Amino acid sequence: MKTLPLRLVPGQDLRAALADVLAAHGMAAGFVLQGIGSLRGARLRLAGAAQATDIEGDIEILTLAGSLSPDGPHLHMSVADAAGRVLGGHVLAGCTIRTTAEILIALLPGHRFAREADPLSGFDELVVHSHDC
């Protein structure tokens, strides 16, 4: 495992920036171990919901974790608004960095992650492929 500390800057889209990490480092598997920071609004898909939930205004990232594959990131995040209300869910495009996002990524040489249809869940799920380094 190789760790990669990363800072995102104001205006970047959180999901899009993390989607680019693997290719930029010539890797095919990784995990977001943790992330904190602030956003100017966010789009999350809450548990069991078919539609996105838009969160307006300045919010803090309390936790961020997930997997990174060439097929795209699978990220979950909890956020808090100015009143301290906490909400969490699946990260969608539209989470714009306000001041910073400080993220620790684990790159996994010797592995390739893919997202493939799973008949049990009905969703594209993580498939781990291991190969010699």
PDB file of all heavy atoms in Angstrom, residues 1 26-29 107-113 128-133:
ATOM      1  N   MET A   1       0.850  -1.182   0.000  1.00  0.00           N
ATOM      2  CA  MET A   1       0.000   0.000   0.000  1.00  0.00           C
ATOM      3  C   MET A   1       0.889   1.236   0.000  1.00  0.00           C
ATOM      4  O   MET A   1       1.888   1.301   0.710  1.00  0.00           O
ATOM      5  CB  MET A   1      -0.901  -0.016   1.240  1.00  0.00           C
ATOM      6  CG  MET A   1      -1.760   1.195   1.356  1.00  0.00           C
ATOM      7  SD  MET A   1      -2.935   1.140   2.736  1.00  0.00           S
ATOM      8  CE  MET A   1      -1.857   1.534   4.097  1.00  0.00           C
ATOM      9  N   GLY A  26      -1.113   6.215 -12.246  1.00  0.00           N
ATOM     10  CA  GLY A  26      -0.885   4.951 -12.919  1.00  0.00           C
ATOM     11  C   GLY A  26      -1.322   3.735 -12.120  1.00  0.00           C
ATOM     12  O   GLY A  26      -0.706   2.680 -12.209  1.00  0.00           O
ATOM     13  N   MET A  27      -2.402   3.887 -11.365  1.00  0.00           N
ATOM     14  CA  MET A  27      -2.890   2.807 -10.506  1.00  0.00           C
ATOM     15  C   MET A  27      -4.288   2.378 -10.944  1.00  0.00           C
ATOM     16  O   MET A  27      -4.963   3.088 -11.689  1.00  0.00           O
ATOM     17  CB  MET A  27      -2.925   3.263  -9.048  1.00  0.00           C
ATOM     18  CG  MET A  27      -1.584   3.751  -8.514  1.00  0.00           C
ATOM     19  SD  MET A  27      -0.367   2.451  -8.432  1.00  0.00           S
ATOM     20  CE  MET A  27      -0.791   1.740  -6.874  1.00  0.00           C
ATOM     21  N   ALA A  28      -4.730   1.210 -10.431  1.00  0.00           N
ATOM     22  CA  ALA A  28      -6.050   0.698 -10.790  1.00  0.00           C
ATOM     23  C   ALA A  28      -6.881   0.328  -9.569  1.00  0.00           C
ATOM     24  O   ALA A  28      -7.938  -0.281  -9.703  1.00  0.00           O
ATOM     25  CB  ALA A  28      -5.901  -0.508 -11.710  1.00  0.00           C
ATOM     26  N   ALA A  29      -6.408   0.693  -8.360  1.00  0.00           N
ATOM     27  CA  ALA A  29      -7.161   0.395  -7.145  1.00  0.00           C
ATOM     28  C   ALA A  29      -6.725   1.336  -6.031  1.00  0.00           C
ATOM     29  O   ALA A  29      -5.530   1.609  -5.860  1.00  0.00           O
ATOM     30  CB  ALA A  29      -6.946  -1.056  -6.705  1.00  0.00           C
ATOM     31  N   LEU A 107      -3.244   3.913  -2.161  1.00  0.00           N
ATOM     32  CA  LEU A 107      -3.119   3.317  -3.489  1.00  0.00           C
ATOM     33  C   LEU A 107      -2.658   1.874  -3.305  1.00  0.00           C
ATOM     34  O   LEU A 107      -1.813   1.592  -2.457  1.00  0.00           O
ATOM     35  CB  LEU A 107      -2.118   4.103  -4.330  1.00  0.00           C
ATOM     36  CG  LEU A 107      -2.481   5.575  -4.561  1.00  0.00           C
ATOM     37  CD1 LEU A 107      -1.339   6.297  -5.260  1.00  0.00           C
ATOM     38  CD2 LEU A 107      -3.764   5.693  -5.359  1.00  0.00           C
ATOM     39  N   LEU A 108      -3.217   0.961  -4.089  1.00  0.00           N
ATOM     40  CA  LEU A 108      -2.972  -0.469  -3.888  1.00  0.00           C
ATOM     41  C   LEU A 108      -2.304  -1.095  -5.112  1.00  0.00           C
ATOM     42  O   LEU A 108      -2.980  -1.656  -5.985  1.00  0.00           O
ATOM     43  CB  LEU A 108      -4.281  -1.190  -3.569  1.00  0.00           C
ATOM     44  CG  LEU A 108      -5.054  -0.635  -2.364  1.00  0.00           C
ATOM     45  CD1 LEU A 108      -6.404  -1.322  -2.245  1.00  0.00           C
ATOM     46  CD2 LEU A 108      -4.245  -0.809  -1.091  1.00  0.00           C
ATOM     47  N   PRO A 109      -0.974  -1.028  -5.182  1.00  0.00           N
ATOM     48  CA  PRO A 109      -0.271  -1.698  -6.288  1.00  0.00           C
ATOM     49  C   PRO A 109      -0.574  -3.202  -6.244  1.00  0.00           C
ATOM     50  O   PRO A 109      -0.742  -3.782  -5.181  1.00  0.00           O
ATOM     51  CB  PRO A 109       1.204  -1.441  -5.997  1.00  0.00           C
ATOM     52  CG  PRO A 109       1.239  -0.317  -5.022  1.00  0.00           C
ATOM     53  CD  PRO A 109      -0.055  -0.390  -4.252  1.00  0.00           C
ATOM     54  N   GLY A 110      -0.647  -3.817  -7.402  1.00  0.00           N
ATOM     55  CA  GLY A 110      -0.908  -5.251  -7.456  1.00  0.00           C
ATOM     56  C   GLY A 110      -2.383  -5.600  -7.434  1.00  0.00           C
ATOM     57  O   GLY A 110      -2.745  -6.773  -7.397  1.00  0.00           O
ATOM     58  N   HIS A 111      -3.244  -4.589  -7.447  1.00  0.00           N
ATOM     59  CA  HIS A 111      -4.689  -4.828  -7.448  1.00  0.00           C
ATOM     60  C   HIS A 111      -5.351  -3.967  -8.521  1.00  0.00           C
ATOM     61  O   HIS A 111      -4.842  -2.906  -8.880  1.00  0.00           O
ATOM     62  CB  HIS A 111      -5.305  -4.478  -6.090  1.00  0.00           C
ATOM     63  CG  HIS A 111      -4.876  -5.390  -5.003  1.00  0.00           C
ATOM     64  ND1 HIS A 111      -3.686  -5.245  -4.344  1.00  0.00           N
ATOM     65  CD2 HIS A 111      -5.475  -6.469  -4.476  1.00  0.00           C
ATOM     66  CE1 HIS A 111      -3.564  -6.193  -3.433  1.00  0.00           C
ATOM     67  NE2 HIS A 111      -4.644  -6.960  -3.496  1.00  0.00           N
ATOM     68  N   ARG A 112      -6.478  -4.461  -8.987  1.00  0.00           N
ATOM     69  CA  ARG A 112      -7.323  -3.684  -9.888  1.00  0.00           C
ATOM     70  C   ARG A 112      -8.750  -3.839  -9.402  1.00  0.00           C
ATOM     71  O   ARG A 112      -9.229  -4.951  -9.186  1.00  0.00           O
ATOM     72  CB  ARG A 112      -7.207  -4.189 -11.336  1.00  0.00           C
ATOM     73  CG  ARG A 112      -8.058  -3.380 -12.318  1.00  0.00           C
ATOM     74  CD  ARG A 112      -7.849  -3.823 -13.762  1.00  0.00           C
ATOM     75  NE  ARG A 112      -8.094  -5.235 -13.970  1.00  0.00           N
ATOM     76  CZ  ARG A 112      -9.298  -5.784 -14.169  1.00  0.00           C
ATOM     77  NH1 ARG A 112     -10.382  -5.025 -14.188  1.00  0.00           N
ATOM     78  NH2 ARG A 112      -9.424  -7.086 -14.354  1.00  0.00           N
ATOM     79  N   PHE A 113      -9.410  -2.714  -9.183  1.00  0.00           N
ATOM     80  CA  PHE A 113     -10.803  -2.721  -8.772  1.00  0.00           C
ATOM     81  C   PHE A 113     -11.676  -2.512 -10.003  1.00  0.00           C
ATOM     82  O   PHE A 113     -11.308  -1.763 -10.912  1.00  0.00           O
ATOM     83  CB  PHE A 113     -11.101  -1.588  -7.779  1.00  0.00           C
ATOM     84  CG  PHE A 113     -10.538  -1.785  -6.403  1.00  0.00           C
ATOM     85  CD1 PHE A 113     -10.589  -0.750  -5.486  1.00  0.00           C
ATOM     86  CD2 PHE A 113      -9.975  -2.980  -5.991  1.00  0.00           C
ATOM     87  CE1 PHE A 113     -10.097  -0.898  -4.204  1.00  0.00           C
ATOM     88  CE2 PHE A 113      -9.476  -3.147  -4.717  1.00  0.00           C
ATOM     89  CZ  PHE A 113      -9.541  -2.097  -3.810  1.00  0.00           C
ATOM     90  N   VAL A 128     -12.645  -7.256  -6.769  1.00  0.00           N
ATOM     91  CA  VAL A 128     -11.218  -7.074  -6.533  1.00  0.00           C
ATOM     92  C   VAL A 128     -10.438  -8.098  -7.361  1.00  0.00           C
ATOM     93  O   VAL A 128     -10.683  -9.294  -7.237  1.00  0.00           O
ATOM     94  CB  VAL A 128     -10.868  -7.240  -5.040  1.00  0.00           C
ATOM     95  CG1 VAL A 128      -9.369  -7.098  -4.821  1.00  0.00           C
ATOM     96  CG2 VAL A 128     -11.648  -6.232  -4.206  1.00  0.00           C
ATOM     97  N   HIS A 129      -9.550  -7.604  -8.201  1.00  0.00           N
ATOM     98  CA  HIS A 129      -8.671  -8.456  -8.986  1.00  0.00           C
ATOM     99  C   HIS A 129      -7.260  -8.245  -8.448  1.00  0.00           C
ATOM    100  O   HIS A 129      -6.792  -7.102  -8.361  1.00  0.00           O
ATOM    101  CB  HIS A 129      -8.716  -8.080 -10.473  1.00  0.00           C
ATOM    102  CG  HIS A 129     -10.072  -8.189 -11.079  1.00  0.00           C
ATOM    103  ND1 HIS A 129     -10.593  -9.382 -11.526  1.00  0.00           N
ATOM    104  CD2 HIS A 129     -11.023  -7.257 -11.310  1.00  0.00           C
ATOM    105  CE1 HIS A 129     -11.802  -9.176 -12.017  1.00  0.00           C
ATOM    106  NE2 HIS A 129     -12.096  -7.888 -11.886  1.00  0.00           N
ATOM    107  N   SER A 130      -6.578  -9.324  -8.099  1.00  0.00           N
ATOM    108  CA  SER A 130      -5.191  -9.251  -7.636  1.00  0.00           C
ATOM    109  C   SER A 130      -4.281  -9.821  -8.720  1.00  0.00           C
ATOM    110  O   SER A 130      -4.631 -10.784  -9.387  1.00  0.00           O
ATOM    111  CB  SER A 130      -5.013 -10.041  -6.346  1.00  0.00           C
ATOM    112  OG  SER A 130      -5.819  -9.507  -5.334  1.00  0.00           O
ATOM    113  N   HIS A 131      -3.116  -9.195  -8.850  1.00  0.00           N
ATOM    114  CA  HIS A 131      -2.135  -9.692  -9.806  1.00  0.00           C
ATOM    115  C   HIS A 131      -0.741  -9.461  -9.243  1.00  0.00           C
ATOM    116  O   HIS A 131      -0.558  -8.658  -8.323  1.00  0.00           O
ATOM    117  CB  HIS A 131      -2.303  -9.048 -11.191  1.00  0.00           C
ATOM    118  CG  HIS A 131      -2.274  -7.555 -11.175  1.00  0.00           C
ATOM    119  ND1 HIS A 131      -3.391  -6.790 -10.922  1.00  0.00           N
ATOM    120  CD2 HIS A 131      -1.271  -6.671 -11.382  1.00  0.00           C
ATOM    121  CE1 HIS A 131      -3.063  -5.501 -10.976  1.00  0.00           C
ATOM    122  NE2 HIS A 131      -1.790  -5.418 -11.244  1.00  0.00           N
ATOM    123  N   ASP A 132       0.234 -10.146  -9.808  1.00  0.00           N
ATOM    124  CA  ASP A 132       1.621  -9.993  -9.344  1.00  0.00           C
ATOM    125  C   ASP A 132       2.107  -8.600  -9.661  1.00  0.00           C
ATOM    126  O   ASP A 132       1.814  -8.038 -10.717  1.00  0.00           O
ATOM    127  CB  ASP A 132       2.523 -11.028 -10.001  1.00  0.00           C
ATOM    128  CG  ASP A 132       2.167 -12.444  -9.562  1.00  0.00           C
ATOM    129  OD1 ASP A 132       1.732 -12.606  -8.413  1.00  0.00           O
ATOM    130  OD2 ASP A 132       2.342 -13.366 -10.392  1.00  0.00           O
ATOM    131  N   CYS A 133       2.886  -8.062  -8.764  1.00  0.00           N
ATOM    132  CA  CYS A 133       3.424  -6.707  -8.949  1.00  0.00           C
ATOM    133  C   CYS A 133       4.584  -6.711  -9.907  1.00  0.00           C
ATOM    134  O   CYS A 133       5.345  -7.570 -10.008  1.00  0.00           O
ATOM    135  CB  CYS A 133       3.875  -6.131  -7.601  1.00  0.00           C
ATOM    136  SG  CYS A 133       2.505  -6.009  -6.436  1.00  0.00           S
TER     137      CYS A 133
END
